[in-house]
Amino acid sequence: QVQLVESGGGLVQAGGSLRLSCVVSGNMFSPSDVGWYRQAPGKQRESVASITRADGVNYAESVKGRFAISQDNAKTAIYLQMNGLTPEDTAVYYCKAVIMDWRGSYNDYWGQGTQVTVSS
């Protein structure tokens, strides 16, 4: 069974940094696409950063130059380095992986989320 487990969230002051990690396990094949999303209270979930086979690395405009997404060489972990955090970055952050199963179908898998709170 595929599992994604996030860690690294917490409380940080504005201007600070956090590094989120997402460990992928139980998969037969490496993820084809990965990404980080976030959802603030009362708002819809939005894409923050992604690495896809089709488009490469992409970032939301609001985080460009401050956040960086990466993967380990074995593609078992996904990272999000967040610098220059502002209160507007406060949200629950989720990692997502698109992974092919043994039948050749691609499925989306999500982590449980990790809270990031930025104080002013």
Side-chain angles (χ1 to χ4, degrees), residues 54-78:
D55 299 322
V57 179
N58 283 282
Y59 295 97
E61 285 296 325
S62 59
V63 307
K64 278 184 179 178
R66 299 188 299 123
F67 290 11
I69 186 172
S70 62
Q71 281 181 281
D72 67 333
N73 288 336
K75 294 191 176 181
T76 59
I78 311 159

Side-chain angles (χ1 to χ4, degrees), residues 3 15 22 36 51 59 72 74 89 91 101 104-106 117:
Q3 284 191 315
C22 174
W36 286 94
I51 303 174
Y59 295 97
D72 67 333
D89 296 316
D101 62 24
S105 299
Y106 286 87
T117 303

Side-chain angles (χ1 to χ4, degrees):
Q1 184 175 358
V2 177
Q3 284 191 315
L4 277 65
V5 179
E6 299 124 336
S7 61
L11 173 64
V12 64
Q13 288 188 330
S17 299
L18 284 174
R19 187 184 193 219
L20 305 183
S21 299
C22 174
V23 175
V24 183
S25 64
N27 47 310
M28 182 181 300
F29 300 103
S30 296
S32 59
D33 302 341
V34 297
W36 286 94
Y37 292 72
R38 67 185 180 187
Q39 187 166 19
K43 294 187 177 181
Q44 289 190 330
R45 189 173 299 189
E46 62 174 353
S47 175
V48 174
S50 62
I51 303 174
T52 67
R53 287 186 177 179
D55 299 322
V57 179
N58 283 282
Y59 295 97
E61 285 296 325
S62 59
V63 307
K64 278 184 179 178
R66 299 188 299 123
F67 290 11
I69 186 172
S70 62
Q71 281 181 281
D72 67 333
N73 288 336
K75 294 191 176 181
T76 59
I78 311 159
Y79 304 101
L80 185 68
Q81 178 66 43
M82 306 186 293
N83 300 323
L85 286 162
T86 73
E88 289 69 36
D89 296 316
T90 296
V92 177
Y93 284 71
Y94 300 89
C95 63
K96 172 188 165 183
V98 180
I99 303 173
M100 187 178 72
D101 62 24
W102 63 273
R103 294 167 294 184
S105 299
Y106 286 87
N107 304 294
D108 292 350
Y109 297 92
W110 293 87
Q112 81 286 356
T114 185
Q115 177 70 47
V116 172
T117 303
V118 185
S119 63
S120 57

